Amino acid sequence: MKKIISLCLALLMVSTALLPLSSCASSKPPELEDVYDRLVYLIENSHEINVVMFGAGLPVYPRNTEEDALLHRYYGFYEDGREFVTGYSKFKSVEEIKAAASEIYSEDYCSSVFESLFTGYASDLVEGSVLPARYSEDDTRMYQNSHVDPLVTGTRVYDYATMKIVSPSRGDFLVVEINSYAENRPDQWVTIDLSFVFENDNWYLDSPSC
């Protein structure tokens, strides 16, 4: 009986000693080859939603055009910068934009971006200044605010052969270093860092890729 108790204690001590090792092992970042396809997928498929969130935005019916005057499209609508998103836009609601962004970006990153996109916020640069939401909607249509300027123009191109995982990466968080250039400045290569987090059983971008 004493031998059995001693054996159990020994096994317990060994398993306890291995816990920190297991914890350290789980904190190690994966090999690049194990996540390469997923990371490339996220970066490449981020371009479309980046245009919506940070770039030119969605197709709209502009105000004060001959067509607008002919159709009285904005008759009775106050001039507040809101323009109707067209019926042939791929995204026809705020929820559709959120869903597309959530397929690429992490929950925390989406939450931080959605506030400015769909709610607006007070600017710290000018006292009393409020930046309007870029997108809003009602029961009949979605609007894009022309008073909100795009943050980026064009697309960024990445050289995936240069991609490598760097510090402070760990098991659930990656920092990836990669060479890149802006599409409109192909002669100006830069090395940038992109971050990714592991959540909901997969990897997601945790920083802008544009």
Side-chain angles (χ1 to χ4, degrees), residues 12 23 37 60 95 161-162 199:
L12 179 60
S23 177
D37 289 344
V60 297
E95 285 305 313
T162 67
E199 61 185 21

Side-chain angles (χ1 to χ4, degrees), residues 47 153-160 162 178-192 209-210:
H47 296 321
T153 57
T155 302
R156 181 160 289 281
V157 179
Y158 294 89
D159 180 5
Y160 294 111
T162 67
I178 186 170
N179 293 343
S180 171
Y181 65 84
E183 196 173 41
N184 58 346
R185 295 191 296 274
D187 58 329
Q188 298 181 23
W189 284 86
V190 295
T191 300
I192 64 174
S209 61
C210 49

Side-chain angles (χ1 to χ4, degrees), residues 14-173:
V14 170
S15 61
T16 303
L18 289 176
L19 282 176
L21 297 178
S22 300
S23 177
C24 291
S26 65
S27 69
K28 292 181 180 179
E31 297 296 327
L32 179 59
E33 62 184 18
D34 295 331
V35 295
Y36 178 87
D37 289 344
R38 175 63 178 176
L39 303 190
V40 171
Y41 169 86
L42 291 171
I43 296 170
E44 287 297 302
N45 285 275
S46 69
H47 296 321
E48 181 179 57
I49 194 61
N50 285 345
V51 171
V52 177
M53 296 194 298
F54 312 117
L58 299 175
V60 297
Y61 296 114
R63 291 175 178 265
N64 305 317
T65 63
E66 291 185 6
E67 182 182 272
D68 176 26
L70 180 64
L71 298 177
H72 301 287
R73 181 174 285 124
Y74 290 99
Y75 179 77
F77 280 84
Y78 179 68
E79 175 59 86
D80 58 358
R82 291 187 303 166
E83 296 177 333
F84 301 161
V85 174
T86 66
Y88 54 84
S89 168
K90 178 175 181 178
F91 303 103
K92 297 179 173 60
S93 71
V94 166
E95 285 305 313
E96 289 183 4
I97 297 176
K98 288 183 177 181
S102 298
E103 291 180 0
I104 302 297
Y105 288 101
S106 69
E107 293 177 359
D108 284 346
Y109 186 77
C110 283
S111 178
S112 66
V113 173
F114 289 171
E115 180 180 2
S116 61
L117 282 177
F118 309 119
T119 304
Y121 60 94
S123 174
D124 294 331
L125 301 178
V126 181
E127 185 176 353
S129 176
V130 177
L131 300 180
R134 188 169 197 194
Y135 298 102
S136 57
E137 63 185 350
D138 55 28
D139 293 337
T140 59
R141 57 175 61 88
M142 181 163 64
Y143 307 91
Q144 180 172 278
N145 198 313
S146 62
H147 293 169
V148 179
D149 295 326
L151 296 176
V152 296
T153 57
T155 302
R156 181 160 289 281
V157 179
Y158 294 89
D159 180 5
Y160 294 111
T162 67
M163 183 164 61
K164 59 183 178 180
I165 297 173
V166 297
S167 180
S169 296
R170 56 179 188 267
D172 60 353
F173 176 76

